[in-house]
Amino acid sequence: MKFDIYGRFQLIVLRSGAGWEAYREVGGKRVRMHDLVLPPDLDASEIAVYLDDLLHELSPPGGRIAPV
């Protein structure tokens, strides 16, 4: 899954085994975000809301996290 994070950057979230891995797209390459941990039992439909809870400090007024 790919998300636009408040128009600032793209985030790719992939299922890996029993958990999730997050990557930031930088210059057309994926860079693993080791400091962004998603609960392994998080449902795919809940990821955008969870990311908003974690990253809301980056949001401009009216900003949102949107699937790409």
Side-chain angles (χ1 to χ4, degrees), residues 6-47:
Y6 308 118
R8 295 176 179 257
F9 60 92
Q10 303 281 311
L11 188 69
I12 298 167
V13 178
L14 303 173
R15 179 59 92 174
S16 174
W20 297 100
E21 292 180 353
Y23 298 86
R24 186 170 177 168
E25 245 184 359
V26 178
K29 296 182 180 183
R30 294 180 185 173
V31 178
R32 177 85 189 267
M33 295 186 65
H34 294 282
D35 57 339
L36 181 65
V37 178
L38 300 165
D41 61 341
L42 189 66
D43 188 69
S45 65
E46 302 170 315
I47 291 177

Side-chain angles (χ1 to χ4, degrees), residues 38-68:
L38 300 165
D41 61 341
L42 189 66
D43 188 69
S45 65
E46 302 170 315
I47 291 177
V49 173
Y50 188 83
L51 290 172
D52 187 50
D53 288 343
L54 287 179
L55 304 171
H56 67 272
E57 297 88 11
L58 300 174
S59 178
R64 66 186 197 106
I65 293 179
V68 175

